[in-house]
PDB file of all heavy atoms in Angstrom:
ATOM      1  N   HIS H 182      27.379  32.434 -72.791  1.00 88.00           N
ATOM      2  CA  HIS H 182      28.481  31.430 -72.801  1.00 88.00           C
ATOM      3  C   HIS H 182      28.009  29.986 -73.080  1.00 88.00           C
ATOM      4  O   HIS H 182      28.861  29.107 -73.140  1.00 88.00           O
ATOM      5  CB  HIS H 182      29.200  31.469 -71.557  1.00 88.00           C
ATOM      6  CG  HIS H 182      29.695  32.805 -71.127  1.00 88.00           C
ATOM      7  ND1 HIS H 182      30.755  33.452 -71.829  1.00 88.00           N
ATOM      8  CD2 HIS H 182      29.356  33.734 -70.086  1.00 88.00           C
ATOM      9  CE1 HIS H 182      31.008  34.583 -71.249  1.00 88.00           C
ATOM     10  NE2 HIS H 182      30.128  34.777 -70.281  1.00 88.00           N
ATOM     11  N   GLY H 183      26.798  29.734 -73.173  1.00 79.00           N
ATOM     12  CA  GLY H 183      26.224  28.425 -73.221  1.00 79.00           C
ATOM     13  C   GLY H 183      26.465  27.740 -74.475  1.00 79.00           C
ATOM     14  O   GLY H 183      26.975  28.216 -75.538  1.00 79.00           O
ATOM     15  N   LYS H 184      25.950  26.433 -74.592  1.00 54.00           N
ATOM     16  CA  LYS H 184      26.199  25.568 -75.754  1.00 54.00           C
ATOM     17  C   LYS H 184      25.439  26.065 -76.922  1.00 54.00           C
ATOM     18  O   LYS H 184      25.925  25.912 -78.057  1.00 54.00           O
ATOM     19  CB  LYS H 184      25.784  24.126 -75.438  1.00 54.00           C
ATOM     20  CG  LYS H 184      26.599  23.430 -74.411  1.00 54.00           C
ATOM     21  CD  LYS H 184      26.100  22.000 -74.082  1.00 54.00           C
ATOM     22  CE  LYS H 184      26.905  21.283 -73.000  1.00 54.00           C
ATOM     23  NZ  LYS H 184      26.361  19.954 -72.724  1.00 54.00           N
ATOM     24  N   ASP H 185      24.298  26.706 -76.692  1.00 43.00           N
ATOM     25  CA  ASP H 185      23.509  27.152 -77.883  1.00 43.00           C
ATOM     26  C   ASP H 185      24.251  28.196 -78.620  1.00 43.00           C
ATOM     27  O   ASP H 185      23.868  28.476 -79.745  1.00 43.00           O
ATOM     28  CB  ASP H 185      22.109  27.615 -77.358  1.00 43.00           C
ATOM     29  CG  ASP H 185      22.213  28.730 -76.307  1.00 43.00           C
ATOM     30  OD1 ASP H 185      23.270  28.636 -75.506  1.00 43.00           O
ATOM     31  OD2 ASP H 185      21.365  29.597 -76.224  1.00 43.00           O
ATOM     32  N   ARG H 186      25.214  28.850 -77.980  1.00 37.00           N
ATOM     33  CA  ARG H 186      25.951  29.936 -78.673  1.00 37.00           C
ATOM     34  C   ARG H 186      27.178  29.431 -79.433  1.00 37.00           C
ATOM     35  O   ARG H 186      27.571  29.932 -80.463  1.00 37.00           O
ATOM     36  CB  ARG H 186      26.529  30.927 -77.615  1.00 37.00           C
ATOM     37  CG  ARG H 186      25.427  31.911 -77.112  1.00 37.00           C
ATOM     38  CD  ARG H 186      25.117  33.003 -77.999  1.00 37.00           C
ATOM     39  NE  ARG H 186      26.321  33.652 -78.529  1.00 37.00           N
ATOM     40  CZ  ARG H 186      27.155  34.492 -78.032  1.00 37.00           C
ATOM     41  NH1 ARG H 186      26.840  34.855 -76.863  1.00 37.00           N
ATOM     42  NH2 ARG H 186      28.157  34.947 -78.691  1.00 37.00           N
ATOM     43  N   SER H 187      27.746  28.293 -78.950  1.00 34.00           N
ATOM     44  CA  SER H 187      29.068  27.936 -79.504  1.00 34.00           C
ATOM     45  C   SER H 187      29.103  26.471 -79.998  1.00 34.00           C
ATOM     46  O   SER H 187      30.020  26.090 -80.743  1.00 34.00           O
ATOM     47  CB  SER H 187      30.124  28.059 -78.437  1.00 34.00           C
ATOM     48  OG  SER H 187      29.865  27.210 -77.285  1.00 34.00           O
ATOM     49  N   ALA H 188      28.055  25.721 -79.740  1.00 37.00           N
ATOM     50  CA  ALA H 188      28.146  24.298 -80.282  1.00 37.00           C
ATOM     51  C   ALA H 188      28.023  24.213 -81.686  1.00 37.00           C
ATOM     52  O   ALA H 188      27.103  24.840 -82.388  1.00 37.00           O
ATOM     53  CB  ALA H 188      26.938  23.492 -79.583  1.00 37.00           C
ATOM     54  N   VAL H 189      28.938  23.401 -82.354  1.00 35.00           N
ATOM     55  CA  VAL H 189      28.810  23.200 -83.797  1.00 35.00           C
ATOM     56  C   VAL H 189      29.005  21.682 -83.996  1.00 35.00           C
ATOM     57  O   VAL H 189      29.800  21.007 -83.459  1.00 35.00           O
ATOM     58  CB  VAL H 189      29.960  23.909 -84.486  1.00 35.00           C
ATOM     59  CG1 VAL H 189      29.863  23.653 -86.018  1.00 35.00           C
ATOM     60  CG2 VAL H 189      30.010  25.378 -84.261  1.00 35.00           C
ATOM     61  N   GLN H 190      27.997  21.105 -84.707  1.00 36.00           N
ATOM     62  CA  GLN H 190      27.913  19.717 -84.952  1.00 36.00           C
ATOM     63  C   GLN H 190      29.030  19.308 -85.981  1.00 36.00           C
ATOM     64  O   GLN H 190      28.949  19.570 -87.159  1.00 36.00           O
ATOM     65  CB  GLN H 190      26.543  19.282 -85.430  1.00 36.00           C
ATOM     66  CG  GLN H 190      25.471  19.472 -84.383  1.00 36.00           C
ATOM     67  CD  GLN H 190      25.664  18.690 -83.178  1.00 36.00           C
ATOM     68  OE1 GLN H 190      26.165  17.511 -83.277  1.00 36.00           O
ATOM     69  NE2 GLN H 190      25.426  19.172 -82.007  1.00 36.00           N
ATOM     70  N   THR H 191      30.063  18.559 -85.480  1.00 36.00           N
ATOM     71  CA  THR H 191      31.003  18.013 -86.391  1.00 36.00           C
ATOM     72  C   THR H 191      31.253  16.596 -86.014  1.00 36.00           C
ATOM     73  O   THR H 191      30.573  16.200 -84.971  1.00 36.00           O
ATOM     74  CB  THR H 191      32.371  18.806 -86.345  1.00 36.00           C
ATOM     75  OG1 THR H 191      32.785  18.718 -84.926  1.00 36.00           O
ATOM     76  CG2 THR H 191      32.203  20.183 -86.833  1.00 36.00           C
ATOM     77  N   GLN H 196      35.594  17.098 -84.008  1.00 49.00           N
ATOM     78  CA  GLN H 196      34.752  17.695 -82.922  1.00 49.00           C
ATOM     79  C   GLN H 196      35.548  17.744 -81.614  1.00 49.00           C
ATOM     80  O   GLN H 196      35.541  18.815 -80.952  1.00 49.00           O
ATOM     81  CB  GLN H 196      33.480  16.857 -82.657  1.00 49.00           C
ATOM     82  CG  GLN H 196      32.616  17.478 -81.607  1.00 49.00           C
ATOM     83  CD  GLN H 196      31.327  16.629 -81.429  1.00 49.00           C
ATOM     84  OE1 GLN H 196      31.257  15.469 -81.769  1.00 49.00           O
ATOM     85  NE2 GLN H 196      30.235  17.288 -80.997  1.00 49.00           N
ATOM     86  N   LYS H 200      36.632  21.379 -79.790  1.00 55.00           N
ATOM     87  CA  LYS H 200      36.247  21.719 -78.496  1.00 55.00           C
ATOM     88  C   LYS H 200      37.471  22.117 -77.648  1.00 55.00           C
ATOM     89  O   LYS H 200      37.438  23.133 -76.944  1.00 55.00           O
ATOM     90  CB  LYS H 200      35.502  20.593 -77.785  1.00 55.00           C
ATOM     91  CG  LYS H 200      34.068  20.323 -78.264  1.00 55.00           C
ATOM     92  CD  LYS H 200      33.367  19.248 -77.540  1.00 55.00           C
ATOM     93  CE  LYS H 200      31.947  19.060 -78.006  1.00 55.00           C
ATOM     94  NZ  LYS H 200      31.239  17.976 -77.218  1.00 55.00           N
ATOM     95  N   LYS H 237      35.712  25.437 -86.513  1.00 53.00           N
ATOM     96  CA  LYS H 237      34.460  26.249 -86.381  1.00 53.00           C
ATOM     97  C   LYS H 237      34.233  26.552 -84.859  1.00 53.00           C
ATOM     98  O   LYS H 237      33.732  27.536 -84.455  1.00 53.00           O
ATOM     99  CB  LYS H 237      33.278  25.398 -86.824  1.00 53.00           C
ATOM    100  CG  LYS H 237      33.307  25.314 -88.369  1.00 53.00           C
ATOM    101  CD  LYS H 237      32.022  24.513 -88.811  1.00 53.00           C
ATOM    102  CE  LYS H 237      32.004  24.433 -90.401  1.00 53.00           C
ATOM    103  NZ  LYS H 237      30.805  23.642 -90.806  1.00 53.00           N
ATOM    104  N   GLN H 238      34.583  25.571 -83.923  1.00 52.00           N
ATOM    105  CA  GLN H 238      34.493  25.840 -82.507  1.00 52.00           C
ATOM    106  C   GLN H 238      35.365  27.006 -82.044  1.00 52.00           C
ATOM    107  O   GLN H 238      34.970  27.819 -81.269  1.00 52.00           O
ATOM    108  CB  GLN H 238      34.793  24.558 -81.645  1.00 52.00           C
ATOM    109  CG  GLN H 238      33.765  23.431 -81.854  1.00 52.00           C
ATOM    110  CD  GLN H 238      33.979  22.602 -82.995  1.00 52.00           C
ATOM    111  OE1 GLN H 238      34.781  22.880 -83.843  1.00 52.00           O
ATOM    112  NE2 GLN H 238      33.309  21.425 -82.958  1.00 52.00           N
ATOM    113  N   ALA H 241      33.938  30.128 -83.221  1.00 52.00           N
ATOM    114  CA  ALA H 241      32.859  30.570 -82.401  1.00 52.00           C
ATOM    115  C   ALA H 241      33.322  31.207 -81.054  1.00 52.00           C
ATOM    116  O   ALA H 241      32.668  32.102 -80.504  1.00 52.00           O
ATOM    117  CB  ALA H 241      31.969  29.331 -82.106  1.00 52.00           C
ATOM    118  N   ALA H 242      34.431  30.680 -80.538  1.00 52.00           N
ATOM    119  CA  ALA H 242      34.960  31.212 -79.279  1.00 52.00           C
ATOM    120  C   ALA H 242      35.313  32.666 -79.461  1.00 52.00           C
ATOM    121  O   ALA H 242      35.142  33.502 -78.645  1.00 52.00           O
ATOM    122  CB  ALA H 242      36.109  30.365 -78.788  1.00 52.00           C
ATOM    123  N   GLU H 245      32.355  34.824 -79.741  1.00 58.00           N
ATOM    124  CA  GLU H 245      31.789  35.008 -78.442  1.00 58.00           C
ATOM    125  C   GLU H 245      32.361  36.167 -77.570  1.00 58.00           C
ATOM    126  O   GLU H 245      31.770  36.922 -77.065  1.00 58.00           O
ATOM    127  CB  GLU H 245      31.821  33.744 -77.632  1.00 58.00           C
ATOM    128  CG  GLU H 245      31.149  33.833 -76.215  1.00 58.00           C
ATOM    129  CD  GLU H 245      31.296  32.475 -75.426  1.00 58.00           C
ATOM    130  OE1 GLU H 245      30.983  31.487 -76.011  1.00 58.00           O
ATOM    131  OE2 GLU H 245      31.779  32.550 -74.318  1.00 58.00           O
TER     132      GLU H 245
END
Side-chain angles (χ1 to χ4, degrees):
H182 304 292
K184 294 179 181 179
D185 56 328
R186 286 280 318 278
S187 60
V189 179
Q190 294 298 320
T191 59
Q196 184 178 20
K200 286 184 177 180
K237 291 182 179 180
Q238 288 90 347
E245 179 181 310

